[in-house]
Amino acid sequence: MNEDYHVPTSAPVYECAYCGRPFARERFRALHRGLEHASDLDDDEVEQFRDAYSEEAESIGMFRLKALAALVLVYFGLLMIYATL
């Protein structure tokens, strides 16, 4: 294991087979492999990367929608407070 990363001994570790970097989740390892070691991947690892990338894109999209909704609520809340003063 690489000495640059401090991983608790009780935590599950998913280590990259190409560089030895530890990850907390398999999805993070799949994303790392696809981005850093794309030319070395076999078909199964490419499929894992695509699935992880798709899942990550969905999560980011949902976060953006929630952030936009929060901004709209804050904006209109402040607008209503200003209108009542």
Side-chain angles (χ1 to χ4, degrees):
M1 191 178 306
N2 194 336
E3 297 299 323
D4 296 336
Y5 304 103
H6 303 288
V7 180
T9 55
S10 62
V13 176
Y14 303 96
E15 194 170 292
C16 177
Y18 300 103
C19 65
R21 182 174 176 185
F23 293 92
R25 295 193 175 98
E26 285 186 73
R27 187 180 78 187
F28 298 159
R29 181 182 62 186
L31 289 169
H32 163 76
R33 284 180 178 173
L35 294 173
E36 298 296 325
H37 310 291
S39 61
D40 300 327
L41 300 181
D42 61 19
D43 292 338
D44 186 43
E45 291 172 331
V46 169
E47 188 63 31
Q48 289 175 356
F49 169 70
R50 288 183 180 154
D51 291 343
Y53 188 86
S54 175
E55 188 177 326
E56 191 73 14
E58 289 176 22
S59 295
I60 290 172
M62 184 58 67
F63 170 77
R64 287 178 178 168
L65 284 174
K66 289 178 181 179
L68 177 63
L71 285 173
V72 168
L73 286 173
V74 168
Y75 173 78
F76 282 109
L78 291 174
L79 185 65
M80 291 299 154
I81 290 171
Y82 179 75
T84 59
L85 295 177

